[in-house]
Amino acid sequence: MREPFIFLYSEITRENALVLMHWLEDHEVGRYLSDARNVSASIAQVLDRVNLPILTHLFNKDGRFYIAYDRHNVPVGFVRLVIKSAETEIVIVIGDRNNWGKHLGTGTIRESLKIAFFELRSPRVVANIHKENRRSIRAFRNAGFRMEHETSELKSFIITMEEYLKSIQEEIAASDEIYITEVDKARLKKLIDDKLYDGMKMDKSLLTLDREINRATVVDIKQLRQDVVTMNSRFLLHLNGEEMEASLVYPHEADWTEKRLSVLSPIGTAILGYSEGNSIEWEVPSGVIAIEIKKILYQPEAAGDYQL
């Protein structure tokens, strides 16, 4: 699973503080935070008392505080790292409920671990989570934490530096390899270049496609396996368990009613280069979708249609 893009920014502005108050005043957002109301009230007092545009130093007492931004430079939550003698405690909040279910929590935790282990040099990171906060528990487990102990109200999770490094190595070793022909790579690179030349910004769809192309293994057109999704291939997919037959095409040929998926669409980019039997979790506008490539029905290279 590729986590959604998250960037942690340490500078806290007055505007950030107002957004934080708005989040914490939402009962559903702050219901499992023991001090949500007190924190919101404290922020209000600071804003009334201090007339400064930057409030970073006020938020960094006893640790580090970060605003989490998504790839569109929109704040989606915050992180508090409380530095103790033998460990760092982490608290995260995804503030807008519209962003729940998109794996932003796990992505935020992973970015926070980089700071805790590599900048703060903490030997271990802990998280104390309310037993009923299933969403948060799932996010920390997905990020590699294990439960250490629990009380009547809280579950304590932990990850050590050694466990973190091991998890990174395992992810690299288990990363799915994708394949692309020399012809498809050249055409797709030209597609990206042409759109940039025409004045289109390097938005999410172009960035994601470019990243996938760059990480793919390039294969000679006549040596490619017949079970790989290439441009103009037709295949049978399962999307969250629902079956769909479709083909992968260039943007100008896309037609959803005919199930011709643009390679720049989230699903189109996700399946490029993957093989029959592969399962992928991918971020789409509505959240995260589970994609399984059940069968390749037609592949131009296998059929000898090299001109497509």
Side-chain angles (χ1 to χ4, degrees), residues 6-7 23 67-77 96 99 104:
I6 287 291
F7 175 73
W23 287 339
I67 301 293
Y69 287 84
D70 66 10
R71 65 173 64 253
H72 304 295
N73 204 31
V74 175
V76 296
D96 186 346
N99 283 313
L104 292 172

Side-chain angles (χ1 to χ4, degrees), residues 119-186:
E119 291 186 27
L120 303 181
R121 307 302 298 176
S122 180
R124 66 182 202 165
V125 178
V126 299
N128 297 308
I129 308 170
H130 195 284
K131 293 179 69 172
E132 295 181 6
N133 192 352
R134 296 179 181 178
R135 189 185 305 277
S136 186
I137 289 173
R138 185 167 57 249
F140 276 92
R141 286 194 184 278
N142 288 341
F145 281 70
R146 57 180 169 82
M147 193 176 77
E148 187 176 41
H149 60 82
E150 64 179 301
T151 66
S152 59
E153 290 189 356
L154 298 176
K155 290 188 175 185
S156 294
F157 289 83
I158 182 174
I159 185 171
T160 65
M161 168 71 90
E162 292 75 16
E163 291 168 336
Y164 175 68
L165 294 176
K166 182 180 178 181
S167 70
I168 292 176
Q169 293 168 352
E170 289 175 347
E171 286 178 9
I172 293 173
S175 61
D176 293 315
E177 189 169 9
I178 63 174
Y179 302 90
I180 192 170
T181 68
E182 296 169 332
V183 174
D184 280 354
K185 180 172 184 177

Side-chain angles (χ1 to χ4, degrees), residues 205-260:
S205 63
L206 293 178
L207 280 168
T208 306
L209 178 60
D210 190 55
R211 182 190 65 199
E212 292 296 284
I213 293 171
N214 290 335
R215 81 176 185 90
T217 299
V218 180
V219 181
D220 183 86
I221 197 169
K222 295 183 179 181
Q223 297 179 342
L224 184 71
R225 290 189 347 227
Q226 298 182 9
D227 63 349
V228 175
V229 176
T230 62
M231 294 305 300
N232 296 300
S233 290
R234 191 156 191 86
F235 35 77
L236 188 64
L237 300 178
H238 276 189
L239 303 178
N240 283 344
E242 295 186 10
E243 189 172 277
M244 182 181 78
E245 184 178 325
S247 56
L248 183 64
V249 300
Y250 291 92
H252 68 280
E253 300 171 313
D255 185 341
W256 180 252
T257 61
E258 298 293 330
K259 295 299 183 287
R260 294 201 293 265

